[in-house]
């Protein structure tokens, strides 16, 4: 007979590791963590393009219970995050649960046996009482559907599959995309390329970046007196929280702050780009916050370099040796870099086929109804399943605030199961409906509902026109609810 584990976690990034740590804390330790990549770290394992760094200050972008006093900069480079992930896996002895190269195709609830059967691509199945998916939001790379792109004869690199062995020196390259990834990448590669053409469809809001090395002396203080780093974390998180709540979520009440953020970005652009035509092209025509803004001190000045050109005429098609825009002009290139982001709404919600009670298919149900998840974590008709990368789960700030709120939710839920001597849980329909109504109502005050967002092409919005990723509350509210939701919002058996 097949062994039934306590839990299967899909994804060995920070979300999956946080879930495993939480289950361990509750004495649940027969776990399997299935990871399609060849190592742990999630986004910080997959992404390693030049310029990669966190965009939330490192004191905040880490588990609060596992501070790292040794971040080298205020915004640590990606490689440090990958090392931090390895440190966490070692310290909390999580590697013993992990299986790499394990791509999950689907998961099905077996109602008679009251467990999940998880099917791997290689045909193997794994059974577990609980299923937790921690597959992230930005994990399915988006390859643009541009005519002729497959006929390009040069080198194609997606930023989520960077080829470290490929030498960019002396090359004539194009970058498609101007999202947060491109903003980090462009200044780095422009230094070594012979020619760079950046194809922009939608400009991004860019504010100044306050960054710098964290001196060794400060690192030593953080290590010896952890309270000092906790204070720094609190200060940073409070500022982020304030900005998010006022400028984005309470657009109705605090539009003036949203406008101030846009003005700050515009004057940043003004200081760094003198050519009015170039400035016009780089200026967004949608409200600040409709899509994720970013910051950089080096992005705009890169367009002043003689070897860099911003192209805003739409791409018509790609040929073997270049890109042709709709005005018929062709730019010859030998390297095509796709900074085209990730597909969230078609392939990521959920990232694998999940079939719950009575044959309910999660992806189909979400698309035919609305994207929804009670407290951003549980869905009716999916017993013993927690979806960690869910609609309305992400605080929009440090992802660790989301992870830790979800760990707290797990603590309360599994604690209640234990107390009742139960083995299955399922969120009730009415509790889920009430939560959806509540977040929908709250979104009514946000920039997503009231701002001018129609030209933003923001991945926050889904095919139903709803900004269904962010939880439209403070992180304090998310954390409080995670520790105090009515336990009867779930049914237990
Ligand atoms: P993104 O924000 O989705 O940007 C993708 C870019 O590609 C956009 O400019 C998009 O243009 C363009 N694009 C896509 N398909 C295209 C097509 N067919 N033709 C022309 N242009 C096309 O992706 P991203 O830059 O990878 O960033 C994704 C998210 O990752 C960020 O929002 C952020 O949350 C996260 N991120 C974080 C960090 C960090 O520091 N921690 C760094 C990088 C990224 P349109 O806007 O017109 O669609």
């Amino acid at each position: 007979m097949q062994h039934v584990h306590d839990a299967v976690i899909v994804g060995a990034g920070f979300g999956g590791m946080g879930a495993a740590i939480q289950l361990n804390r509750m004495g649940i330790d027969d776990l399997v963590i299935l990871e399609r990549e060849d190592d742990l770290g999630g986004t910080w394992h997959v992404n390693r393009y030049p310029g990669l760094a966190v965009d939330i200050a490192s004191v905040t972008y880490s588990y609060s219970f596992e501070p790292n006093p040794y971040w080298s900069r205020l915004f640590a480079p990606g490689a440090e995050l990958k090392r931090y992930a390895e440190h966490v896996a070692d310290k909390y002895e999580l590697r013993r649960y992990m299986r790499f190269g394990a791509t999950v195709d689907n998961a099905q609830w077996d109602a008679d046996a009251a467990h999940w059967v998880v099917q791997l691509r290689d045909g193997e199945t794994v059974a577990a009482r609980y299923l937790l998916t921690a597959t992230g939001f930005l994990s399915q790379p988006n390859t643009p559907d541009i005519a002729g792109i497959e006929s390009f004869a040069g080198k194609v690199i997606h930023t989520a599959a960077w080829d470290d062995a490929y030498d960019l020196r002396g090359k004539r390259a194009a970058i498609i995309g101007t999202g947060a990834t491109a903003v980090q990448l462009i200044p780095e590669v422009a230094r070594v390329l012979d020619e760079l053409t950046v194809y922009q469809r939608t400009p991004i809001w860019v504010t100044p970046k306050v960054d710098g090395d964290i001196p060794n002396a400060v690192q030593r203080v953080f290590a010896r007196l952890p309270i000092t780093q906790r204070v720094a974390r609190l200060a940073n998180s409070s500022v982020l929280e304030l900005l998010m709540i006022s400028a984005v979520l309470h657009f109705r009440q605090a539009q003036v702050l949203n406008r101030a953020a846009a003005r700050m970005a515009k004057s940043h652009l003004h200081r760094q780009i003198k050519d009015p035509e170039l400035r016009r092209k780089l200026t967004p025509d949608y409200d600040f916050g409709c899509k994720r803004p970013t910051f950089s001190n080096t992005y705009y000045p890169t367009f002043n370099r003689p070897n860099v050109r911003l192209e805003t005429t739409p791409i018509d098609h790609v040929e073997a040796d270049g890109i042709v825009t709709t005005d018929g002009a062709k730019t010859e290139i030998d390297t095509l870099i796709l900074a085209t982001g990730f597909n969230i709404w078609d392939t990521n919600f959920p990232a694998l086929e999940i079939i719950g009670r009575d044959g309910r298919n999660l992806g189909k149900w979400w698309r035919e109804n609305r994207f929804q998840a009670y407290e951003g974590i549980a869905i009716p008709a999916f017993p013993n399943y927690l979806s960690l990368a869910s609609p309305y789960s992400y605080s929009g700030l440090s992802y660790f605030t989301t992870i830790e709120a979800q760990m707290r939710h797990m603590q309360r839920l599994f604690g209640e199961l234990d107390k009742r001597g139960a083995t299955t849980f399922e969120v009730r329909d009415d509790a889920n409906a009430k939560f959806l109504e509540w977040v929908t109502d709250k979104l009514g005050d946000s920039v997503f509902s009231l701002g001018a967002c129609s030209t933003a092409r923001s991945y926050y919005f889904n095919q139903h026109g709803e900004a269904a990723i962010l939880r439209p509350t403070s992180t304090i509210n998310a954390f409080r609810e995670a520790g105090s939701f009515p336990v009867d919002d779930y049914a237990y058996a």
Side-chain angles (χ1 to χ4, degrees), residues 17 25 35 53 68-69 117 122 127 170 195 198 251 254 264 297 308 453 461 471 490:
M17 291 201 292
R25 282 178 184 165
E35 169 59 59
N68 171 19
V117 179
D122 66 7
E195 287 171 25
V198 175
F251 184 80
M264 177 172 63
N297 302 327
V308 178
C453 289
F461 291 86
R471 179 189 173 101
Y490 285 92

Side-chain angles (χ1 to χ4, degrees), residues 24-56:
N24 273 184
R25 282 178 184 165
M26 309 198 68
I28 301 173
D29 60 3
D30 179 4
L31 311 180
V32 184
I33 303 178
L34 301 173
E35 169 59 59
R36 76 177 173 194
E37 305 297 335
D38 60 2
D39 201 359
L40 60 89
T43 202
W44 301 103
H45 170 62
V46 171
N47 285 284
R48 39 171 212 289
Y49 59 80
L52 174 69
V54 287
D55 60 0
I56 297 283

Side-chain angles (χ1 to χ4, degrees), residues 468-485:
I469 291 185
L470 300 186
R471 179 189 173 101
T473 74
S474 66
T475 58
I476 295 168
N477 171 283
F479 207 67
R480 196 180 51 228
E481 291 295 310
S484 66
F485 63 85

Side-chain angles (χ1 to χ4, degrees), residues 44 49 52-56 61 138 142-146 158-159 176-184 199-204 291-294 315 339-342 394 455-460:
W44 301 103
Y49 59 80
L52 174 69
V54 287
D55 60 0
I56 297 283
Y61 194 86
L138 306 165
N142 169 42
T143 305
D145 188 15
I146 297 172
H158 193 288
T159 55
I176 301 180
T178 51
T181 298
V183 168
Q184 293 185 334
Y199 290 84
Q200 171 189 278
R201 192 163 63 180
T202 312
I204 183 169
K291 75 196 293 183
R292 190 172 165 125
T294 190
I315 297 172
T340 45
F342 303 86
Y394 177 35
T455 55
R457 284 181 176 271
S458 168
Y459 68 76
Y460 289 162

